[in-house]
Amino acid sequence: MLLSEPLYWGMRVTVMNLDLTKVRGQWQVASASATLLNANTAPEDKQVADLVRPAHQKVLEYVNGVIGTCKQKMTGATTCWEDSAAVDLINFVQAQAVKAGLVGTADENTPVLSIAAPFSRTARIPAGDVTVRDVAGL
């Protein structure tokens, strides 16, 4: 068995080498090895970069788009052990979205509950303009 965990967000990449042999008409793995590489040490492939650049630019424009404002900063730093405005915000937005989705249905008057968990102690919403990127951190 070969197992690799190359981290997240493309920060690492795993190169897996599988040596195969054919035994009675079936392929079998004779040996397997893996090498973990840091993505930030690999040279950029110009052809690939040129192909994905328009989509990448579109994503950057989206995540950096301002979607609202906040009167004071909110962080996820202490959400594991105390009440947090950031988690309260998630609960409020979730409940409002479900309530809006129920309007005009047989369940329109059904009570709505929301639950949220602190997924990141480094998440923060800044005071002032808030972007999609900021909210995604929560």
Side-chain angles (χ1 to χ4, degrees), residues 52-63:
V52 300
R53 188 169 287 109
H56 181 67
Q57 188 59 39
K58 194 173 188 177
V59 169
L60 289 176
E61 289 169 9
Y62 172 73
V63 299

Side-chain angles (χ1 to χ4, degrees), residues 34-136:
T35 305
L36 189 63
L37 304 174
N38 288 324
N40 64 356
T41 63
E44 181 180 282
D45 183 305
K46 182 174 175 11
Q47 185 177 6
V48 171
D50 289 346
L51 287 170
V52 300
R53 188 169 287 109
H56 181 67
Q57 188 59 39
K58 194 173 188 177
V59 169
L60 289 176
E61 289 169 9
Y62 172 73
V63 299
N64 292 323
V66 174
I67 58 171
T69 58
C70 191
K71 292 183 179 183
Q72 66 184 40
K73 73 176 183 175
M74 294 185 282
T75 74
T78 60
T79 58
C80 291
W81 59 86
E82 67 183 11
D83 189 29
S84 162
V87 175
D88 291 346
L89 172 66
I90 294 168
N91 273 322
F92 178 78
V93 170
Q94 288 177 160
Q96 291 304 108
V98 171
K99 286 179 186 178
L102 294 176
V103 171
T105 72
D107 294 315
E108 183 172 1
N109 295 315
T110 301
V112 173
L113 300 175
S114 173
I115 188 168
F119 291 109
S120 171
R121 290 182 41 205
T122 60
R124 65 179 208 59
I125 299 290
D129 288 345
V130 178
T131 66
V132 170
R133 179 190 306 267
D134 297 324
V135 174

Side-chain angles (χ1 to χ4, degrees), residues 5-12:
E5 186 177 352
L7 209 52
Y8 54 90
W9 299 335
M11 294 171 67
R12 309 279 189 275

